[in-house]
Amino acid sequence: MASAAPRRQTCPNCGKEFLQPVRPGRPNTYCSAKCTAEGRHKAPDPPDHSQHDADLLDIAMDFHLIANALLADAYDNAGSAALLAHHAQLTRQLDHLEAVIVGRGRAQGESWEQLSSPRGLSAERLRKKWPASTLKRRLDAYRAARARPAGGPLLPSPRRPGTDDDSDTASSRAPTAHLLSHTPLQQLSGALSHLQRLSGKPLKETAAQARISPSHLSRLLAGQRRPSWPVTERLVTACQGDLAEVQVLWEAAHRPAAQPCPPPPEPSLAARRQFHTAVRGLYLAADRPDLWTVQAATSNSLSINHIARTLSGPHIPDWYTASRLVFALHGRPADFRALWHTAARTPIPACAAPDFALPAGAFG
């Protein structure tokens, strides 16, 4: 009886093809004794948790969107039903977030003790809450829900009537859009882009004056790279911009995400100037829109006069006005509260004059 022909196989250790003879017993899956020894002692491939990482980023972005909608409705004095709707959305996202983090931790080989400690639960309780079947079912449902077409953007509730003390009726019917705060890197790149366009210089000329390549400048303006301070300084100088305004944005873009904002200075005129400089940095990053556009972004809740005085100084508005303006300029009010509190405690000298002149285009 003729023996069976050998089969062509691929060695899982070296990747080479070899002929595997057909014989009694367990077939050898490796091409040689050396590969057999190496393969049996080779560490297994690390688990793939890239899908969990993608889920985590998706949920973080969902939180960001819902929180922005909640903040907009809080500013607009929305009804309790609208606020509770945001609460329900955030609660669902928290459930998804726990499932994703536990699934990611288990895929990375973390123990139940490591995962349960930050939650203040026992390892056994967390394990019973998230058995493998429950985790899979929850994550499959979450991914399927995200794969379906969205039902439309999150929109704030009906707006509060304007409280202007000026004759701002021309913009009282201006449409308002749902706002999304920008990341510090987006704000920095937006400010640099605005300055470059305002300079009227070709990209190559600006890059040459900043001593960088045009391609590198393009990546900086697109927010794909974080520039060093010397590069930022040369770029702002080439575009005849205000270094103080851009420095605030640069420091925020280079601050680690987990690191809190630096403590505010002691009450002084310098603290007031620092607050106005930080707000004007946001105004620059937003392409220095005219004040009517800014007013529309506040749902017409701030007057043109209040906006102009806050941007130009030395006036320090109440917190509602300051936070509403920061939010309208795509900033994060929480980052400004400590600085505002310090600046607001500094009295304004009787002879104080504005320290910044708004461009003519700001008034339309």
Side-chain angles (χ1 to χ4, degrees), residues 322-343:
S323 60
R324 199 70 174 96
L325 179 58
V326 167
F327 187 62
L329 295 174
H330 308 290
R332 299 181 293 195
D335 293 345
F336 281 74
R337 188 172 182 95
L339 180 58
W340 168 86
H341 183 70
T342 304

Side-chain angles (χ1 to χ4, degrees), residues 1-320:
M1 179 177 176
S3 60
R7 293 190 292 264
R8 187 172 294 277
Q9 300 287 349
T10 300
C11 178
N13 183 55
C14 65
K16 294 180 180 178
E17 290 189 348
F18 69 99
L19 294 177
Q20 182 189 66
V22 178
R23 58 190 177 192
R26 178 183 296 177
N28 190 2
T29 56
Y30 295 93
C31 64
S32 64
K34 179 182 177 182
C35 279
T36 299
E38 291 178 355
R40 287 177 178 173
H41 293 87
K42 190 176 182 181
D45 292 334
D48 180 16
H49 48 80
S50 57
Q51 182 60 60
H52 292 94
D53 292 339
D55 292 338
L56 186 60
L57 291 175
D58 287 340
I59 291 177
M61 181 55 70
D62 288 342
F63 262 103
H64 190 54
L65 290 170
I66 299 168
N68 271 274
L70 173 61
L71 184 57
D73 277 354
Y75 276 130
D76 294 332
N77 199 23
S80 299
L83 299 178
L84 285 172
H86 296 310
H87 175 270
Q89 288 179 307
L90 289 170
T91 300
R92 285 194 295 271
Q93 292 301 321
L94 281 173
D95 290 339
H96 295 324
L97 178 62
E98 185 175 23
V100 167
I101 293 176
V102 171
R104 180 175 178 267
R106 295 299 294 164
Q108 291 177 327
E110 297 178 38
S111 68
W112 288 108
E113 287 76 12
Q114 290 174 297
L115 296 172
S116 62
S117 178
R119 288 279 285 111
L121 301 175
S122 67
E124 182 64 15
R125 184 175 177 184
L126 188 65
R127 185 185 66 79
K128 288 183 176 179
K129 182 179 179 181
W130 295 113
S133 58
T134 303
L135 269 178
K136 183 178 185 306
R137 186 167 59 251
R138 174 62 66 88
L139 294 178
D140 287 346
Y142 169 73
R143 292 162 186 166
R146 282 200 64 89
R148 290 195 294 269
L154 296 169
L155 296 175
S157 58
R159 304 296 180 176
R160 185 195 323 172
T163 58
D164 293 351
D165 52 12
D166 311 341
S167 56
D168 293 344
T169 55
S171 63
S172 61
R173 293 179 297 276
T176 57
H178 177 57
L179 298 171
L180 180 65
S181 59
H182 292 171
T183 65
L185 181 57
Q186 288 173 326
Q187 291 167 354
L188 175 61
S189 63
L192 296 177
S193 296
H194 176 80
L195 290 176
Q196 200 282 324
R197 292 194 304 270
L198 195 65
S199 71
K201 299 176 182 178
L203 204 65
K204 288 185 177 180
E205 182 180 345
T206 305
Q209 292 179 354
R211 302 203 294 276
I212 57 177
S213 67
S215 61
H216 185 49
L217 177 58
S218 296
R219 287 192 289 270
L220 294 181
L221 300 184
Q224 298 173 353
R225 294 287 188 276
R226 282 181 173 82
S228 65
W229 176 244
V231 170
T232 303
E233 190 175 22
R234 293 195 299 268
L235 181 56
V236 174
T237 301
C239 297
Q240 298 181 332
D242 188 326
L243 277 173
E245 293 177 1
V246 178
Q247 184 174 4
V248 174
L249 302 174
W250 182 87
E251 290 173 352
H254 283 263
R255 188 179 303 128
Q259 179 179 329
C261 297
E266 290 299 316
S268 64
L269 292 180
R272 301 182 72 93
R273 285 192 293 271
Q274 185 176 339
F275 171 79
H276 289 296
T277 300
V279 175
R280 286 198 299 271
L282 289 181
Y283 182 59
L284 173 64
D287 278 353
R288 286 180 177 163
D290 64 75
L291 301 188
W292 305 99
T293 301
V294 177
Q295 185 192 44
T298 69
S299 306
N300 302 313
S301 62
L302 303 183
S303 69
I304 295 295
N305 182 44
H306 284 156
I307 297 170
R309 291 172 66 198
T310 302
L311 288 172
S312 60
H315 171 68
I316 300 292
D318 57 73
W319 174 240
Y320 175 85

